Amino acid sequence: MSAPNSNSNARQRGQNLRIQDEELGELEPKPTLHTPAVSPGPESSTRRRFQEFSEEISQTLKLQENKEELVRFWDQFTRKGKRKIGVMESLKAILYSSWLNFFLVLIPLAWISNFLGWNDEITFVLCFFAIVPLERLFDWGGEQMAFYLGKELGDLLVITLNNAVEATLAILLLKRCELILLKSTIIGVVILHLLLVPGTAFVTGGARVIQQDLHPHLTELNHSLLTIGVLTLLIPAAFFSAIDSSFSIDGETGAQSVVTDATRHTFLQMSRGLAVLLLVVYVCSRIYLHNPPGEDNALDLAETLHAPVALKEHLARLREEDPEVNQWVCMLMLAICIGLMAATAEYLVESIDFVRGKAGIRQEWFGLILLPIVSFAADGTVAIVYFVRYMFKHFFREPSPPPTLAKGEAIDLSIQFTLFWMPLFVLLGWWTDKPLTLLFETFEVAILIGSCFLVNYVTADSKTNWAEGVAMVSFYCMIALCSWFYPGQDEIKLLSHCGTVADTLAAALNRTLKD
């Protein structure tokens, strides 16, 4: 009997222990269901520390590379280890840089003619020839600064200075709120630099060679930049043509138009947004040209294997030869020339109104053709003089070898004017409360798109010849011929007046009733 009793007592004690364990388990916190995190092993910790160390090294090397690039730029700008150009030597070089400096004496005469109210024809002629030496000094000063700034920044400075006269004229027109004439002038400047100027250069430069070369990389980028600048103007024009914009002025029923201040406000908002985007595109393109990506991103695009030989020789000349003027003296000279040119260009614009009034030229042709040609006439005069000198050397002296590098810098002028200056004018109009929009007339947008396509086709293979130059000049003459008969688009004129649309309609109605 003792054995069974002992077994039953043992079972009873086991049950009591299990009950106690369950009760204690209910009181204790239950473990979470997720898998506990495993501490990283020695391999993963070492790999993470190595990655952090590599990132620190790469950042340090990048900062060091940027610092070295700034040091190289400053050494080039200050010409470290090379001969310094003196002040007197620089002033002498500026004075003898061109025989056109003789016309600088016309600047005070042009100002006196404006202040004393001489005949408009005299003031116009004096201002015109006074700007000629200033533009020549812009070209020469930009070429000299390329020795100090390098190829990319030097080209940017030359392009900007060459656009200085046209940009100044456009700002003066914006200040006077002649927005219709300003828009026509913008289109006229772009097609002038796209067709007439490079076309003439291709004809004269390629007369003695089968073909001339262009830089392939820069040409491909220019195609994209030029196309986006031109197509940006197509968007507002297409948007405007898609809405009902009927316009009529009748003495009996009054002025009727669906174009209102609300419509203009819409295009103002649209244009300001497009202007900011165009500026972003231009800034990004300049960053790419100045610092292309890659391991050796300091490599100049002009030094690649595909660059023309003449362009490489030009880069070697910038590195090896000495400039003619000190960099600080050159910068001061350019600043003074910009001030003189701005005042003289203003007097030129004021005196040129006699051409529009007495000759009976339509405002569209005046802005598309005449005013851009006048603004570029200074460079054109210089080009004609140098062409005559070249022909004299060719027939009466030993002829110089024909150039193999095509002069397509004028296309860069059009790109900068479209992507930088045009949106800048829109933002300046916003700041000065001038209703300047990117809504251009359909005819103007059409001729601009046609010019863009022709230029892109001509330069697609990075080679040009004199026959293609003739085609470009001929197309410009076609535009000039058809623009002479173009009456303008009334709806765009209505939206391009300062003041409210209702006041403009009322003034137009009053003129119609008087007639």
Side-chain angles (χ1 to χ4, degrees):
M1 298 294 297
S2 61
N5 291 333
S6 61
N7 291 334
S8 61
N9 292 335
R11 286 195 297 270
Q12 185 66 31
R13 286 195 299 269
Q15 292 177 358
N16 293 336
L17 290 174
R18 282 196 301 270
I19 292 173
Q20 292 178 359
D21 291 339
E22 291 177 358
E23 292 177 352
L24 290 175
E26 292 179 356
L27 296 177
E28 293 178 355
K30 295 181 180 180
T32 57
L33 297 177
H34 68 274
T35 305
V38 181
S39 59
E43 268 187 40
S44 60
S45 178
T46 305
R47 188 182 302 109
R48 186 175 65 254
R49 286 197 299 268
F50 179 75
Q51 291 177 353
E52 294 176 355
F53 181 69
S54 301
E55 291 177 358
E56 292 179 0
I57 291 179
S58 61
Q59 292 177 0
T60 303
L61 292 176
K62 185 177 294 185
L63 293 175
Q64 184 68 22
E65 183 180 355
N66 294 335
K67 183 178 179 180
E68 292 177 357
E69 184 177 356
L70 290 176
V71 171
R72 287 195 300 268
F73 173 78
W74 183 251
D75 290 343
Q76 181 181 13
F77 182 78
T78 57
R79 292 183 58 79
K80 182 178 180 180
K82 298 182 180 179
R83 186 178 72 87
K84 301 297 188 297
I85 311 299
V87 175
M88 295 304 299
E89 182 181 357
S90 301
L91 295 177
K92 184 178 179 181
I94 294 173
L95 182 62
Y96 292 101
S97 61
S98 174
W99 61 271
L100 293 173
N101 292 338
F102 173 78
F103 290 102
L104 290 173
V105 298
L106 298 179
I107 295 178
L109 293 178
W111 291 18
I112 293 173
S113 175
N114 177 78
F115 291 136
L116 297 182
W118 291 358
N119 190 283
D120 287 340
E121 288 85 347
I122 297 177
T123 304
F124 172 78
V125 173
L126 290 175
C127 292
F128 173 79
F129 285 102
I131 291 179
V132 171
L134 295 177
E135 286 207 356
R136 176 55 189 166
L137 287 175
F138 284 154
D139 293 338
W140 182 80
E143 294 172 358
Q144 294 299 311
M145 289 302 299
F147 286 93
Y148 301 99
L149 300 177
K151 171 67 177 174
E152 293 82 13
L153 292 179
D155 289 345
L156 178 61
L157 180 61
V158 171
I159 293 171
T160 305
L161 292 175
N162 284 332
N163 274 329
V165 176
E166 290 84 354
T168 303
L169 291 176
I171 293 175
L172 293 175
L173 293 175
L174 179 63
K175 178 182 177 182
R176 298 172 62 178
C177 207
E178 296 192 20
L179 304 184
I180 302 173
L181 183 59
L182 172 58
K183 290 182 179 180
S184 299
T185 303
I186 291 175
I187 300 297
V189 168
V190 174
I191 63 175
L192 177 77
H193 291 307
L194 279 181
L195 298 174
L196 184 61
V197 179
T200 306
F202 295 162
V203 171
T204 57
R208 293 191 293 153
V209 293
I210 297 179
Q211 60 188 14
Q212 290 183 305
D213 297 323
L214 292 167
H215 196 296
H217 297 295
L218 303 183
T219 302
E220 293 171 0
L221 179 60
N222 286 348
H223 289 169
S224 302
L225 297 177
L226 181 60
T227 303
I228 190 176
V230 172
L231 293 182
T232 301
L233 300 183
L234 179 62
I235 299 175
F239 184 92
F240 186 77
S241 63
I243 63 177
D244 184 10
S245 57
S246 60
F247 176 82
S248 64
I249 296 179
D250 193 334
E252 297 179 358
T253 61
Q256 298 177 352
S257 175
V258 297
V259 180
T260 61
D261 290 295
T263 304
R264 183 169 67 178
H265 182 67
T266 300
F267 281 98
L268 283 172
Q269 291 180 318
M270 185 187 307
S271 301
R272 290 159 186 170
L274 294 176
V276 173
L277 293 175
L278 285 177
L279 289 175
V280 170
V281 171
Y282 185 73
V283 171
C284 292
S285 67
R286 296 312 310 181
I287 293 176
Y288 172 78
L289 290 174
H290 178 67
N291 189 16
E295 296 181 358
D296 192 7
N297 57 5
L299 179 65
D300 197 319
L301 286 176
E303 294 180 345
T304 59
L305 297 176
H306 302 287
V309 177
L311 188 58
K312 295 181 179 180
E313 294 176 352
H314 174 68
L315 290 174
R317 185 177 68 85
L318 291 179
R319 288 192 296 263
E320 298 172 0
E321 296 184 5
D322 293 329
E324 302 178 29
V325 64
N326 181 277
Q327 65 269 41
W328 306 109
V329 177
C330 187
M331 293 168 61
L332 179 61
M333 181 268 294
L334 292 175
I336 294 175
C337 289
I338 290 175
L340 295 175
M341 185 273 302
T344 308
E346 182 175 4
Y347 306 149
L348 177 68
V349 172
E350 294 176 356
S351 62
I352 204 175
D353 287 337
F354 80 92
V355 178
R356 181 170 41 176
K358 295 182 180 180
I361 299 176
R362 289 182 177 179
Q363 187 169 229
E364 287 73 21
W365 196 87
F366 183 81
L368 281 172
I369 305 300
L370 185 58
L371 195 57
I373 288 180
V374 169
S375 65
F376 186 75
D379 283 340
T381 304
V382 175
I384 291 173
V385 171
Y386 277 87
F387 178 73
V388 172
R389 290 177 55 186
Y390 171 79
M391 296 300 294
F392 179 81
K393 286 183 178 180
H394 180 73
F395 289 106
F396 298 100
R397 297 182 182 178
E398 182 179 357
S400 57
T404 60
L405 185 64
K407 293 183 178 180
E409 293 84 359
I411 300 176
D412 296 330
L413 301 182
S414 295
I415 293 173
Q416 188 192 68
F417 209 85
T418 306
L419 298 182
F420 178 76
W421 288 110
M422 184 178 65
L424 182 62
F425 299 150
V426 174
L427 298 181
L428 286 177
W430 186 13
W431 181 42
T432 57
D433 198 20
K434 301 292 192 303
L436 178 62
T437 66
L438 292 180
L439 177 59
F440 287 76
E441 299 184 11
T442 306
F443 174 76
E444 296 173 344
V445 175
I447 62 176
L448 185 59
I449 293 177
S451 303
C452 172
F453 285 166
L454 178 59
V455 170
N456 285 348
Y457 287 146
V458 168
T459 59
D461 57 351
S462 301
K463 298 181 183 299
T464 63
N465 53 65
W466 69 266
E468 292 176 333
V470 170
M472 297 170 69
V473 175
S474 300
F475 188 62
Y476 183 83
C477 294
M478 295 176 189
I479 294 175
L481 175 63
C482 297
S483 300
W484 179 263
F485 305 99
Y486 179 63
Q489 193 172 350
D490 292 332
E491 298 89 348
I492 307 300
K493 291 181 180 179
L494 178 64
L495 295 175
S496 300
H497 280 90
C498 292
T500 63
V501 177
D503 294 340
T504 306
L505 278 170
L509 178 59
N510 292 332
R511 288 194 300 268
T512 303
L513 293 176
K514 290 180 181 179
D515 296 338

